[in-house]
Amino acid sequence: MTKQEALYKYVLRLGDHALIQGHRLSEWCSKGPILEEDLALTNLALDNIGRAQALLKYAAELQGLGNTEDDLAYKRGEREFYNSLMSELPTGDFAFTIAKQMLISVFEYFQFTALSHSADETIAGIAAKTLKEVRYHMMHARDWCYRLGKGTEESNRRLQNAINELWMFTGDLFEMNDEDKMLEVLDIAIDLNEIKTQFDTLVQTILRESDIRIPENGYMQTGSKKGIHTEHLGHVLTEMQYLQRAYPDATW
Amino acid sequence: MDAVHTISDFQHKIDSDLNIEPKDVMPDKYRTHLIRQMSQHAHSEVIGMQPEGNWITRAPSLRAKQILLAKIQDEGGHGLYLYSATETLGISRDELIQQLHEGKAKYSNIFNYPALTWADIGAIGWLVDGAAIVNQVSLQRTSYGPYARAMFRICKEESFHQRQGYEIMANMMKGTAAQREMAQDAMNRWWWPSLMMFGPHDSDSPHTGDAFQYKIKRKSNDELRQKFIDKTVQQAEVIGLTIPDPSLKWNEEKESYDHGEINWDEFKSVISGNGPCNKQRMDHHIKYHQEGAWVREAVNAYAQRTQRAEAN
């Protein structure tokens, strides 16, 4: 693997994660519990898809085959996507979406804080812009954890269930492979083990302040960095890529 | 002029083309008419999120997806803004939503039609938002201050939507035969319902009298419809779309287009509940409103809890 190939896969992974997370958030449109929240969730979706576009555009440049960001988003199959497993899980109820958003945005907050110092200027630039958005995403999710966790018995139960279900997908966020290691030496990528401690501390604080029990670290799902996914991703791609696949000669 | 304390002050303000403001004394009929019209407008923005939302996850490019998301978000924002403006008349958003669910309040009939293909997203932006703008520009001069101000803000965003919708259609008409066919099919299905958005002919419009007297409405249904037709026909021609009306003809004398007969039986049928998506739209809104009940309860419980904590 050359540095260029490693960088391509690394950027692709960041882009895929934002794309799939944005896709799931966008499914909330017209289904929010209150209109204000409907708008907030679509706004998060917009931020994610905007980020995906910037990252996939850069990935396409690195790939050097004349592809566009749309080619990468719409013309790759299930085994060629590297988004986190958590991002592709179905939206579930509002508590599930909030729990997922909290875990992901806390992860992203530390990830992009570190990446904003990346030796790769494009990554550093995108990370700095993303960080501004993610800080807001994290506050939004955290405040909802407080409301749901300390709201009613039902809302507490739903949030607790969501955290319990999501816990086994947290390990996947921190897995590293060869490209991480190669790029970390060059100060381009980050050591995910380092942010794991920060993640654990902040997540535990938020959950405690929300009256939510912290689950035991048991079996952890794995595989996204090798392109091994849950069964859900195939359905996301089938829907997302439908027009591009059905009309391969068309431009929109 | 200062605050209005009597009905004759109210009429004087209307006659002088001044805005009526929330604290002014106003006739019950004026208030009732505004609540009906403004809440219908708000509900339309919110229900309109459904047909377009149907295509977010399938939008054919990342750019198109962002534009569509941003547009739907704008519509939701308009809904919020209009609910707030309606609340200045002494009714709550909860009550307005209840009226919608009970079928006492309506939303624009156009959203009872389905968004079947990606071209429908173009057609909705171009034709439906295009028709809405014509109506809303005229409402910028409506007599109720909060409504008029809402219209100024909303019109700016709607004109973006219309251009973006037109761009989708234009791109498809430059594309493959299948894309052109898809665009023309969307045009065929959305043209007549768009014309119906302006409501019945002036001679048959039940609410027109009060609305004009109170200057809530400034232009008649037929005037607005004509304006829409005249600006849209040329736009269609430029990109090669055919208007599905064999009777459409330029009339030199009146310097505008004559159009064929609108199918008012269809209009009446859809407006009274028998359209392709009436049930679906209402079921969707009720379902997700009900599913969100536990979240709203949690918000209230949490707010009470933090208020108590602050009080202690």
Side-chain angles (χ1 to χ4, degrees), chain A residues 19 22-23 26-36 38-40 42-46 49-53 56 69-70 73-74 93-95 143-144 146-152 154-156 158-159 211 236 239-244 247 249-252, chain B residues 46 49-50 52-67 69-70 72-80 83 93 116-119 167-168 171-172 174-176 178-179 182 284-285 288-289 291-299 301-302 305:
Chain A
L19 179 61
H23 183 99
S26 78
E27 291 178 347
W28 273 98
C29 181
S30 82
K31 297 173 187 164
I34 40 170
L35 191 48
E36 284 82 347
D38 213 301
L39 300 182
T42 40
N43 207 38
L44 299 182
L46 256 181
I49 291 163
R51 189 200 316 165
Q53 190 180 24
L56 293 179
E69 62 267 36
D70 285 336
Y74 291 94
D93 65 3
F94 185 69
D143 291 352
W144 269 109
Y146 294 160
R147 286 184 205 110
L148 299 183
K150 294 182 157 179
T152 61
E154 180 181 5
S155 65
N156 178 281
R158 284 177 185 260
L159 185 60
D211 293 348
V236 169
E239 190 170 338
M240 184 174 80
Q241 299 178 338
Y242 142 71
L243 274 173
Q244 290 274 358
Y247 302 92
D249 303 329
T251 48
W252 306 88
Chain B
V46 172
M49 295 166 78
Q50 291 181 37
E52 297 189 294
N54 182 38
W55 278 93
I56 292 174
T57 55
R58 292 177 292 171
S61 72
L62 297 178
R63 178 174 179 269
K65 197 185 282 283
Q66 288 172 83
I67 290 174
L69 263 170
I72 300 174
Q73 211 187 13
D74 283 349
E75 312 291 6
H78 298 168
L80 263 187
Y83 281 131
R93 202 205 302 183
L116 299 177
T117 70
W118 175 250
E167 186 194 276
I168 290 177
N171 283 342
M172 290 183 73
K174 281 189 285 193
T176 63
Q179 284 178 297
M182 204 188 274
H284 178 105
H285 198 274
Y288 289 105
H289 187 72
E291 274 185 18
W294 70 268
V295 179
R296 297 190 294 275
E297 281 161 22
V299 170
Y302 179 74
R305 191 170 161 165

Side-chain angles (χ1 to χ4, degrees), chain B residues 57-181:
Chain B
T57 55
R58 292 177 292 171
S61 72
L62 297 178
R63 178 174 179 269
K65 197 185 282 283
Q66 288 172 83
I67 290 174
L68 182 58
L69 263 170
K71 175 184 196 286
I72 300 174
Q73 211 187 13
D74 283 349
E75 312 291 6
H78 298 168
L80 263 187
Y81 203 65
L82 283 162
Y83 281 131
S84 303
T86 314
E87 284 184 319
T88 64
L89 292 159
I91 188 160
S92 70
R93 202 205 302 183
D94 285 346
E95 289 171 285
L96 296 171
I97 289 172
Q98 199 182 336
Q99 288 179 357
L100 175 70
H101 290 176
E102 288 169 356
K104 290 178 188 158
K106 290 197 184 305
Y107 54 87
S108 178
N109 213 26
I110 194 82
F111 300 121
N112 289 321
Y113 291 87
L116 299 177
T117 70
W118 175 250
D120 289 35
I121 297 306
I124 292 174
W126 172 40
L127 299 174
V128 175
D129 286 50
I133 293 170
V134 172
N135 189 30
Q136 288 166 356
V137 164
S138 119
L139 283 171
Q140 288 176 342
R141 290 178 56 239
T142 193
S143 58
Y144 189 54
Y147 195 25
R149 290 189 286 274
M151 286 305 112
F152 270 99
R153 188 166 145 168
I154 288 171
C155 281
K156 276 189 206 160
E157 293 181 349
E158 296 285 14
S159 63
F160 268 114
H161 302 166
Q162 202 228 350
R163 262 180 280 167
Q164 288 158 348
Y166 187 61
E167 186 194 276
I168 290 177
M169 295 302 254
N171 283 342
M172 290 183 73
M173 290 305 287
K174 281 189 285 193
T176 63
Q179 284 178 297
R180 287 195 296 277
E181 197 182 314

